[in-house]
Amino acid sequence: MEVSRLVPRMLLDIQNRGQLSAGMTVWNPDRSQLLTTYKEVGSVSEVFRMGHRGKYESLMEQHTGRAAIGHVRYATCGAEDRGYAQPLERPHIQKRKWFAFGFNGQLANYPALRAEILADDDNHLARDNDTEVIMHAIGKELSGDADPDPIEMLAAISKRFDGAWNIAMLDACGRMIVARDPLGIRPMEYAQLGPLVAAASESVALLNLGFPAESIRSLEPGMALIVDGTKVRIERFAESSKRAHCFFEWVYFANVASTMDDRSVYLARKRLGEELARLETITIDADTVVVPVPDTSKAAADAMAYRLSIPSVEGLIRNRYTGRTFIDGASSRRQKAETKYTPLREVLEGKRVILVEDSIVRSTTMKVLLGRMRSLGLVREIHVRIACPPIIAPCFYGIDMSTIDELFAPAFLRGEPLTEEVQAAMAARLGADSLRYLPIDSVARSIGFDAVEMCQACLTGHYPTPAGAQLYKIALNQLSSGEAGRTYEATAVR
Ligand code: SF4
């Protein structure tokens, strides 16, 4: 069965997870080159030349295959060039040792693992990121005459890794291995229908491939899906005594059409909006409207408006061709935010606007938006409502917010609880008439997990892994000493 053509289609559905690069590795036993990897910098449609039928067809012809893995990249460390695009392939003369893999997450103990590798003067790392370290860790388990079962290999690397690390791997024997880290920080879904087995970070990619919703399952933390010829097995490689699902997936990162770990992203955002409505205190009159910051806050905004019995209107039109600002590199973030939204005078004139946003990380988008709405000169009031609690600490598990001083909220909170006065000061800084965040307990209620089953470290400063806690201490020290740079970079050893 030819499956490689399915990969670009699946990657398009999870383009929200990264736009820096895209690629795929294909296995074809009828070619001398058993594994071929194609990858480039750019969005999925750019990389796979989807706007040019001839070029797309020619690419697909060159990369036909019976098994394939794909990747879209979102960088939390490393450069933004082709050398960092994935899948990462490691050729070898022995088929079982020749493999490629794609990685989702971030290893919080990467600096220690890197230092360990480089402690041997004979060793060299070509890239400055955790993906290459993972490749060497897998390679080491396969080295010599050892021929471990994939479960043994995963069990061994799992003992050394701290953080979020989901992997999809394909070897030159055509064996596919999909693994989810023991804390389940990042999502992983899979489905089987007849001879077709597929897995993806989000269910939307499987749904749109034609798998019925009821056939799509979450890979449990610490488990691996292994497809070897016609044999499919799901087995545990590590104990998973606690869970730490990243709440930010449901609040912002994931596609709103996805369901992960049996929790719908849309329903979680809808409930977050209902929580905002429950807390609302401003006077509602005939000219009060809710305006979502498109597109991720739309479900929350619509639900909030419905509960308040006021309209949710498109006061901001998003230019859909600029991409997402949060997942872009810092240099272009402000520039893109400036060209990303157009405030609509016809909708906003004379209105008291409740502006709903999914979260405030750095406040780049919010400042630009409020500035542009104010410049219309006709908006009566702007009340900012955030469908998330304040983000006060960095993420070391795969979301690109790695220092405290790049974040908006910590400078206002300074370790103290969120009060009306603090929110008033934040509103003044942004140029809003008022601002309100959700309390932390709204998150668990809205997504449907117990708080202890989630990672909420960027809200609380309590990290679910030892290396995460250690990096947070370093980040706090960096803040007090005024050092710049990612916390990772401060700890990397050469
Ligand atoms: S720190 Fe925040 S963004 Fe990072 S994994 Fe935890 S909850 Fe998610």
Side-chain angles (χ1 to χ4, degrees), residues 172-226:
C173 304
R175 194 166 50 173
M176 191 172 85
I177 301 163
V178 177
R180 188 175 187 197
D181 73 66
L183 291 173
I185 297 178
R186 301 273 147 240
M188 183 62 87
E189 304 287 309
Y190 70 95
Q192 179 171 12
L193 198 61
L196 183 64
V197 184
S201 293
E202 295 189 31
S203 66
V204 64
L206 304 172
L207 258 183
N208 288 341
L209 220 53
F211 287 102
E214 55 284 2
S215 72
I216 302 172
R217 309 221 186 296
S218 302
L219 190 61
E220 291 294 309
M223 304 282 278
L225 162 74
I226 298 160

Side-chain angles (χ1 to χ4, degrees), residues 185-186 244-249 393-399 401 454-459 463-464:
I185 297 178
R186 301 273 147 240
H245 304 303
C246 168
F247 86 94
F248 206 52
E249 291 276 355
C395 177
F396 308 117
Y397 307 124
I399 301 290
M401 41 192 197
M454 285 187 295
C455 178
Q456 299 186 92
C458 51
L459 306 179
Y463 289 81

Side-chain angles (χ1 to χ4, degrees), residues 325-338:
T325 49
F326 180 72
I327 61 174
D328 288 321
S331 54
S332 62
R333 197 172 283 125
R334 185 175 179 91
Q335 213 180 354
K336 281 210 174 162
E338 274 162 5

Side-chain angles (χ1 to χ4, degrees), residues 454-475:
M454 285 187 295
C455 178
Q456 299 186 92
C458 51
L459 306 179
T460 61
H462 302 305
Y463 289 81
T465 71
Q470 182 63 27
L471 284 177
Y472 186 44
K473 273 192 202 155
I474 294 167

